[in-house]
Amino acid sequence: MDKKYNDLIGDILEAAGEKDNYDLKGAGKPLPKGYVERDVFQNFQQIAKDAGYLPYWLKLQKEIASMVHTAKTEKDIKKINNKIKEYNTVCPTTMQKLRVELEKLEDAKAIW
């Protein structure tokens, strides 16, 4: 037994004649700067940000902001408050917002 570890996939590839028969982009090159310093979630966030991914709660936040700036009637306020309720259930706790009232619409425009 000259191996110090079990490499089942490597053994299967070797038996099939596919060992070291791959072409990976960036193989043998160093990892990008900062890649090792961040954890897996931080790396995911960076990759998602670079790809243009926007979390659902941020999409809702933008939608609510546009609705608040165009609201005029009590019916509009009801729709906005339903969206705010949905937003508060999916966003981080520190980002939750209060409901909007027709009398305080100008204050809500400044907040949103």
Side-chain angles (χ1 to χ4, degrees), residues 77-94:
I77 299 298
K78 278 189 174 187
K79 288 180 184 178
I80 291 170
N81 285 332
N82 286 337
K83 288 281 186 183
I84 291 174
K85 185 177 178 183
E86 181 182 355
Y87 169 80
N88 285 339
T89 60
V90 295
C91 75
T93 308
T94 57

Side-chain angles (χ1 to χ4, degrees), residues 12-55:
I12 292 169
L13 289 173
E14 194 172 314
E18 295 291 323
K19 184 84 171 180
D20 296 331
N21 187 18
Y22 51 85
D23 186 25
L24 297 176
K25 182 179 128 194
K29 296 179 183 169
L31 291 171
K33 194 170 202 136
Y35 187 81
V36 185
E37 297 157 358
R38 299 184 304 245
D39 65 10
V40 174
F41 185 66
Q42 289 171 328
N43 285 326
F44 164 74
Q45 285 179 317
Q46 185 63 44
I47 292 168
K49 181 180 175 186
D50 293 344
Y53 173 76
L54 195 63

Side-chain angles (χ1 to χ4, degrees), residues 48 52-61:
Y53 173 76
L54 195 63
Y56 176 66
W57 64 273
L58 281 176
K59 290 178 186 175
L60 266 177
Q61 185 179 33

